[in-house]
Amino acid sequence: MNRLVAAVMLATIGAIIAQIVRGDRPPWVGWVSLVLAGAAILLAALRTVPAAVRLGARTDSSRQQRELAESIGRDHVFCAAAIVALVAIELSFA
């Protein structure tokens, strides 16, 4: 599953870059989409996934596990908001 998610993330970045290169929409649409997708992907890669792996190992105390879970939850809320904004912008200029 992790490879599928990574492939979809790469495909999304590739599609946004192709959109920018083609120039079929206002340039800012592609660049804002790239920033939104990049922020969500970088957050997931650099913080959410390592925290989830650590949480899954269950080597920390209950308090630390709760903090990790809360952090993962906040990360997911941010990523969901970024992707919703990306989709809204892309659909507005489709």
Side-chain angles (χ1 to χ4, degrees):
M1 183 62 133
N2 60 349
R3 290 186 180 135
L4 175 62
V5 172
V8 170
M9 289 177 181
L10 287 174
T12 300
I13 295 294
I16 294 170
I17 291 171
Q19 172 189 320
I20 293 169
V21 170
R22 281 193 320 262
D24 56 351
R25 294 187 182 144
W28 70 268
V29 172
W31 289 107
V32 169
S33 295
L34 191 60
V35 167
L36 289 169
I41 290 168
L42 282 174
L43 178 64
L46 298 177
R47 198 168 85 178
T48 309
V49 171
V53 168
R54 185 172 158 194
L55 181 62
R58 304 187 91 185
T59 56
D60 295 312
S61 69
S62 295
R63 182 175 150 261
Q64 289 171 320
Q65 288 181 22
R66 185 184 74 243
E67 290 171 358
L68 282 171
E70 290 171 354
S71 172
I72 292 166
R74 284 190 302 272
D75 291 352
H76 277 85
V77 169
F78 173 83
C79 290
I83 298 305
V84 166
L86 183 150
V87 169
I89 289 169
E90 287 291 335
L91 291 178
S92 295
F93 290 90

